[in-house]
Amino acid sequence: MPDPTAGGQLDVRIERDRALGTRNCEINTSSGRTMQHSLLNWGPQPLPWS
């Protein structure tokens, strides 16, 4: 996805997992809407809104 926020529709955060020493990407919808599918490898397609 060229714009990871999808034009402001998604809130993207990188969270640090101190116990594992890794970072995790957390994505939430900024509007409270839900998704039908995971965004993993989704690409530039329209978002899979429910």
Side-chain angles (χ1 to χ4, degrees):
M1 208 180 242
D3 173 10
T5 68
Q9 298 178 81
L10 302 174
D11 177 32
V12 180
R13 296 174 36 175
I14 305 297
E15 296 291 332
R16 185 174 177 191
D17 186 328
R18 293 177 190 259
L20 296 175
T22 61
R23 296 179 193 270
N24 298 309
C25 179
E26 179 181 308
I27 298 177
N28 294 302
T29 61
S30 55
S31 65
R33 292 172 68 183
T34 58
M35 300 275 178
Q36 290 181 1
H37 304 283
S38 167
L39 295 177
L40 186 63
N41 295 319
W42 194 255
Q45 300 176 60
L47 295 175
W49 296 116
S50 291

